[in-house]
Amino acid sequence: MRYKMYDEILEQSQAIKRTFQNEKEKLDQLSSEISEFQKIYLIGCGSSLSTVYTIKSALNMATNLDVDVFTGYEYFYNKKLDDKNAIAIFTSQSGETADTLASIRKSKENNILTIAVVNEKNSSMYKEADFSILTHAGHEKAILGTKTYVTQLSVLYYLLFSASDYDKKEELLADLNRIPDIIEDLVKNTEEENKKLALEFKDEEIFYCMGSGPNYGLAYKLSMTMFMEGALKHACPLYSGEFRHGLIERVEKGVSIIFLEAGYDGDLLTDRSIEFSNNLDTKNIIFSLKDYGDINNLLAPLLLVIPLEWFIYYLSHFNNEDPGSTRHIGKVRY
């Protein structure tokens, strides 16, 4: 059986191209606006929270932009929001996420400029924000977020790095322009190896997912939406530097750990964690940027997500689960 997620994996490169073809003029305008503000709030939930985690880490590593990340309700209940010189960027696949939408309305009540990055033009968030960017991924049926994830993350990289003081900004933006073609090749070339990997790990029930810098956001997505929502496996995301707290007491022979590596300074700790785990004969899976493309490593999550998607897709398939379906999502109302 071929699940709907399969076709959506194939559509990712074209979705990014369509998004920039249609939104670039608006993105350039907004990046100029953003550069005038001293504080940037990034808000999202689920997969969208993972994209803002990633972009915050990338910006913190390379720029002087002052960025904070919140989930929708954490932002809504925050009593210390800067309403003088701040801008708020809201991310959502559907544009109807209740807590994120409530936060847009709170921002507008407090005269904070709002930008929405959403995939549905008729959504409430798209209509209510001061400015809106549409990710042209087409309606996504699989709950995990494949083409919506890569388009949303690409938009955030372009929007915020264009507004930044990063000394390698032009290099990063040029690499970002190459991403769709690299993704297209990875979609073709990483399916079979990760299908085999999924078959090997199909009976595992819990996975620890570790990453440093921008890859922590991907580790969060991998755990929260890909493993738990898609493959229906228990999973836990960790910063690489936190391996020595908690997980170090749980690693033992047979424990499954996924390491995301991209040559960041923080990956010194990723490498030490891999070495420690190898000595205990854990089941390590390492996804390293150098195996997938030669780009600015701040962009690593955009490439590493592709083999991970195939791994999750086939992990679900071998357990007779549809990685795009849901059991309980939407049943708890806010």
Side-chain angles (χ1 to χ4, degrees):
M1 177 182 292
R2 181 156 148 171
Y3 300 113
K4 53 197 171 187
M5 180 184 171
Y6 190 98
D7 293 323
E8 293 177 346
I9 292 174
L10 302 182
E11 295 167 7
Q12 290 175 104
S13 63
Q14 290 304 312
I16 298 174
K17 288 180 180 180
R18 284 195 305 270
T19 298
F20 282 112
Q21 286 167 359
N22 287 279
E23 303 294 317
K24 188 176 182 301
E25 184 176 345
K26 193 184 294 184
L27 286 167
D28 287 335
Q29 173 198 345
L30 289 176
S31 66
S32 296
E33 293 257 0
I34 290 169
S35 65
E36 301 298 318
F37 289 87
Q38 292 181 354
K39 185 76 174 183
I40 302 168
Y41 295 116
L42 300 173
I43 300 95
C45 297
S47 186
S48 293
L49 181 60
S50 78
T51 65
V52 295
Y53 275 144
T54 283
I55 195 66
K56 179 182 187 293
S57 293
L59 292 167
N60 284 348
M61 289 171 64
T63 81
N64 289 313
L65 291 179
D66 186 1
V67 183
D68 270 349
V69 164
F70 293 93
T71 65
Y73 271 135
E74 286 177 330
Y75 180 87
F76 184 85
Y77 288 115
N78 192 306
K79 303 299 183 186
K80 298 181 180 180
L81 296 177
D82 179 357
D83 59 358
K84 304 299 183 187
N85 200 12
I87 189 168
I89 301 175
F90 299 84
T91 55
S92 174
Q93 176 177 323
S94 67
E96 300 293 349
T97 308
D99 33 357
T100 308
L101 183 57
S103 293
I104 285 186
R105 292 167 180 167
K106 176 178 179 176
S107 295
K108 292 176 74 68
E109 289 171 3
N110 287 278
N111 297 313
I112 297 175
L113 192 68
T114 57
I115 298 175
V117 181
V118 300
N119 194 53
E120 299 291 342
K121 192 169 187 178
N122 293 322
S123 66
S124 300
M125 285 174 58
Y126 188 91
K127 294 174 182 176
E128 294 188 29
D130 295 312
F131 299 96
S132 294
I133 301 294
L134 185 67
T135 52
H136 293 255
H139 182 67
E140 189 157 46
K141 297 178 181 178
I143 189 65
L144 276 69
T146 52
K147 54 187 180 173
T148 52
Y149 170 80
V150 295
T151 52
Q152 185 180 111
L153 190 54
S154 296
V155 161
L156 290 172
Y157 269 110
Y158 188 90
L159 188 63
L160 291 164
F161 271 94
S162 294
S164 79
D165 57 350
Y166 180 36
D167 59 355
K168 296 181 180 179
K169 173 167 60 178
E170 297 307 320
E171 171 197 299
L172 181 142
L173 294 176
D175 282 349
L176 183 61
N177 192 52
R178 296 169 49 220
I179 290 288
D181 291 334
I182 300 173
I183 284 179
E184 191 167 354
D185 288 340
L186 289 177
V187 166
K188 295 174 185 175
N189 298 330
T190 62
E191 180 180 0
E192 285 305 314
E193 64 188 80
N194 287 286
K195 181 178 181 180
K196 293 176 182 176
L197 191 65
L199 182 61
E200 179 184 346
F201 281 82
K202 68 180 180 64
D203 295 324
E204 299 300 313
E205 286 302 322
I206 185 165
F207 294 81
Y208 295 98
C209 308
M210 290 182 47
S212 173
N215 278 337
Y216 172 74
L218 179 54
Y220 183 88
K221 173 181 171 56
L222 176 61
S223 296
M224 300 295 288
T225 68
M226 298 173 78
F227 272 122
M228 290 201 279
E229 292 179 3
L232 301 182
K233 301 284 190 180
H234 295 288
C236 178
L238 295 100
Y239 281 104
S240 295
E242 288 297 285
F243 176 84
R244 56 191 170 183
H245 300 290
L247 181 55
I248 198 167
E249 294 298 333
R250 295 301 304 146
V251 288
E252 54 195 37
K253 183 175 182 179
V255 170
S256 298
I257 310 174
I258 294 180
F259 296 94
L260 307 177
E261 195 277 331
Y264 304 132
D265 289 344
D267 280 329
L268 173 64
L269 298 174
T270 308
D271 295 338
R272 288 177 179 174
S273 301
I274 292 171
E275 182 180 1
F276 183 89
S277 299
N278 281 338
N279 290 334
L280 293 175
D281 201 20
T282 57
K283 294 181 177 179
N284 295 342
I285 309 173
I286 303 169
F287 290 89
S288 181
L289 176 62
K290 62 181 173 57
D291 296 326
Y292 301 108
D294 182 16
I295 60 168
N296 186 306
N297 65 357
L298 294 175
L299 297 168
L302 283 164
L303 300 194
L304 295 180
V305 73
I306 304 303
L308 290 171
E309 286 170 350
W310 284 129
F311 177 64
I312 293 295
Y313 178 85
Y314 282 107
L315 196 68
S316 304
H317 171 77
F318 292 133
N319 283 281
N320 298 312
E321 299 287 353
D322 179 354
S325 65
T326 63
R327 297 187 301 173
H328 305 303
I329 290 176
K331 294 179 181 178
V332 177
R333 296 299 176 187
Y334 291 91

